[in-house]
Amino acid sequence: MQLYCWNADISAAFFLALQFCELAVRNGAVEALEKEFGQTWHLNRGFYNTLPSLRGGKGYQPRDDVQGLARRLPTPGKVVAELKFAFWQYLFVKGQDVRLWAPHFVTAFPGYDQNLTVKQARAAMHQDIEHIRRFRNRIAHHEPIFYRNLTDDFERIRKLIEWRSPDAAVWLDGAEHVTTLIAQKP
């Protein structure tokens, strides 16, 4: 029962970092999209054509997601708020390197690891977002996370926040309770 309660506490504690992470990724991506496609990027057919078609058109499709939301929501801000985390992940694919990330990654994510090329950093973000998204879904579905390396999970989340805003990562350091709870695992 102690482990179950601890699992619930650590899961809840992760939500602050996960929210900051998703906002950091999303806001950095929106900044790049607005620079490349303008304020109405969500209505831009040229942008739609850059989005990948996944799994032969079956399952989640980023293009369908943004087009459907753009048709029914009145502002870009409302579209941004409704897009799935998977949408943002699929902006960090190789096919976006030339048009989106080569010109805009450094300004959208100024705290990124400068030892990496932009292509390497973009690829790392795609992989990290996939890991974080799956982790977040485990928490959201009330599944156990106590068997995971939670320190690695937290560091991956914090890294993406820092890439977008080193100041936000420092703020998170003072506000989070994940590291304290990790040390208290029964």
Side-chain angles (χ1 to χ4, degrees), residues 105-117:
F105 191 89
V106 173
T107 55
F109 298 97
Y112 85 100
D113 181 351
Q114 305 270 323
N115 293 317
L116 302 174
T117 67

Side-chain angles (χ1 to χ4, degrees), residues 42 45 48 62-72 83:
H42 66 296
R45 288 185 188 272
Y48 294 158
R63 185 179 307 159
D64 294 345
D65 194 9
V66 71
Q67 284 179 316
L69 291 169
R71 277 192 293 272
R72 66 179 179 82
L83 285 165

